[in-house]
Amino acid sequence: MVTIVLTGQLQTADGERDLACDLSSPITVRQLIQRQGFQLRHLLQLLREKKVLVTINKKIASEDSLVQDGDAIRLVGHDGMGGSGLGPSHM
């Protein structure tokens, strides 16, 4: 089992912040998020925009890092300037 914790303003489509996922073989963080479907699909865009910090077992990781059974993934929204990265753009 893998746990995913969403922090800051990140949450699932249902407003949850913690998910537990069964995992039979190692996959990337991106694949794990894709596998959650509707619940986390909004995170895929934030990952592409580099607005999500990924950690695996409290170590900085990336969307391409491998996740294994027993890992704890934490996703933190940011904009690279100390903000959440989730609000409207001011450009």
Side-chain angles (χ1 to χ4, degrees), residues 30-47:
R30 183 184 326 100
Q31 291 169 326
L32 180 64
I33 291 170
Q34 288 171 333
R35 201 180 266 188
Q36 303 315 304
F38 176 76
Q39 288 293 332
L40 296 180
R41 74 169 181 216
H42 62 286
L43 286 178
L44 294 173
Q45 181 62 33
L46 294 173
L47 280 170

Side-chain angles (χ1 to χ4, degrees), residues 1-7 10 17-21 23 27-33 36 40 43 47 52-63 65-76:
M1 175 131 344
V2 172
T3 59
I4 300 173
V5 177
L6 307 174
T7 61
L10 296 179
R17 293 187 179 275
D18 299 313
L19 296 112
C21 314
L23 193 63
I27 60 174
T28 67
V29 171
R30 183 184 326 100
Q31 291 169 326
L32 180 64
I33 291 170
Q36 303 315 304
L40 296 180
L43 286 178
L47 280 170
V52 175
L53 172 69
V54 178
T55 66
I56 300 174
N57 302 324
K58 298 184 180 182
K59 295 181 181 176
I60 294 175
S62 76
E63 64 184 286
S65 297
L66 284 180
V67 177
Q68 304 181 77
D69 189 44
D71 284 346
I73 293 89
R74 183 175 297 264
L75 304 172
V76 182

